[in-house]
Amino acid sequence: MMSLNSTPQTCQEMLEEFYDNPRETTVREMIFAGVGKRDVYNITSPFIEGGREIVIGRVEARDSEFSQVFFFQRDQNIWHPREHTHTYPLQDPCIARIEDEYVFGGVEVIPSLDDPDKIVSWVTQFYRGKTIDSLCHFASGPDKMKDIRLVTLADGRIGVLTRPQGKIGGRGQIGFTIIDKLDELTVEKVESAYIMHDQFIPEEWGGANEAHLLSNGWVGVLGHIACFDQNQNKHYYSIVFALNPETMEKSPMKIIAVRADFPPGPEKRPDLEDVIFSGGLIRSEDGRALLSVGVSDAEAYQIDIPDPFLEYEQAVLPTAQEA
């Protein structure tokens, strides 16, 4: 039986386990057009809308943090902005299917009134609609909270992953709560989420990037763990873990991808060279999965890896309903 609720592992400890278990991978760069000289990174996984493959990405000048989120449509191997689809002044898009609707989110950054180039706060904004061209704003997250993610649970309710920082969350912890319907996604509900304080040591941090309902009723969480080195360079790694939404039992986290999995390339700043940001994961029936990531805050890639959630479905775990 898989061990649950272990003490937090550091980035270095998880890296050692990761490199002790080599796996076969295939890497593909995402090529974008129609955005001028701006970078496209921190993409979602592709999804099908109107019979066409769509991906959402953060579009940004190399020397700026003020971005636009575009919906891209693939034409052969090139991704072009989707015609007549709204763009959003947001960072780090996410998308999920909830209550037979798309729920699209992104982070709005708020500049200083005295210095428009200085970011003083940020808020996650949410939109919903039957199609991506009918999205309407319906909810906002708490001040200075990123990485809020939604998933439909086995009983039809909605799981909400959160990431408080500061007095409650330090550099960034992962929280979880359950709502009955989308109309209950409020600041108060998000702020009341149970915080999993035993996942990161105080010097490190992380967050959820996407959630998957597993066959046993548990929630498979795709996310990231991050740390600084002695030179204040950032290091971000893709991770997963499994969560029982009824009992809050969870598996240890494990790293599933690192910057070294991808070819050398540009970075937004020197301190962001060793950064990948999980965007989304598509599971296949053959035991593989396609992970979409932003790389060094400048590029976007996909990597084919062994399905990291299979072990949680195959382990001897109580179903969420049995717990």
Side-chain angles (χ1 to χ4, degrees), residues 143-170:
D143 187 48
K144 295 186 176 180
M145 186 182 292
K146 301 181 180 181
D147 302 330
I148 304 171
R149 299 294 187 265
L150 309 182
V151 61
T152 300
L153 303 177
D155 62 4
R157 293 182 298 167
I158 303 165
V160 182
L161 289 148
T162 72
R163 199 198 73 166
Q165 292 178 284
K167 184 177 181 180
I168 296 176

Side-chain angles (χ1 to χ4, degrees), residues 58 60 65 67 69 89-93 106-109 119 146:
R58 175 174 173 172
E60 189 175 273
E65 293 285 340
S67 60
V69 165
L90 304 171
Q91 298 178 346
D92 304 338
V107 178
E108 177 188 10
V109 296
I119 296 172
K146 301 181 180 181

Side-chain angles (χ1 to χ4, degrees), residues 28-161:
R28 178 176 63 195
E29 184 180 3
M30 304 283 282
I31 306 299
F32 295 88
V35 295
K37 295 182 179 180
R38 289 176 291 179
D39 296 321
V40 182
Y41 66 102
N42 291 8
I43 57 170
T44 67
S45 282
F47 61 96
I48 303 299
E49 162 77 2
R52 299 298 298 269
E53 196 172 14
I54 307 296
V55 75
I56 314 172
R58 175 174 173 172
V59 180
E60 189 175 273
R62 187 69 58 86
D63 61 353
S64 174
E65 293 285 340
F66 294 93
S67 60
Q68 290 285 118
V69 165
F70 279 64
F71 286 70
F72 293 92
Q73 186 168 285
R74 187 167 73 168
D75 183 3
Q76 297 184 10
N77 290 323
I78 308 296
W79 295 88
H80 300 266
R82 191 171 186 270
E83 292 185 4
H84 313 302
T85 298
H86 188 60
T87 64
Y88 299 80
L90 304 171
Q91 298 178 346
D92 304 338
C94 62
I95 195 159
R97 291 290 291 182
I98 308 290
E99 296 181 352
D100 197 33
E101 291 184 285
Y102 287 112
V103 175
F104 160 71
V107 178
E108 177 188 10
V109 296
I110 301 170
S112 166
L113 294 176
D114 299 325
D115 183 358
D117 293 326
K118 180 180 180 181
I119 296 172
V120 295
S121 189
W122 49 90
V123 177
T124 302
Q125 305 290 2
F126 288 99
Y127 303 76
R128 62 191 287 190
K130 296 291 185 180
T131 69
I132 59 176
D133 292 318
S134 63
L135 296 170
C136 293
H137 183 268
F138 78 99
S140 300
D143 187 48
K144 295 186 176 180
M145 186 182 292
K146 301 181 180 181
D147 302 330
I148 304 171
R149 299 294 187 265
L150 309 182
V151 61
T152 300
L153 303 177
D155 62 4
R157 293 182 298 167
I158 303 165
V160 182
L161 289 148

Side-chain angles (χ1 to χ4, degrees), residues 9 13 15 80 114 121 124 137 158-159 216 224 274 290 321:
Q9 287 184 293
E13 290 170 333
L15 277 174
H80 300 266
D114 299 325
S121 189
T124 302
H137 183 268
I158 303 165
N216 54 9
H224 61 275
D274 189 31
L290 187 65
Q321 290 79 10

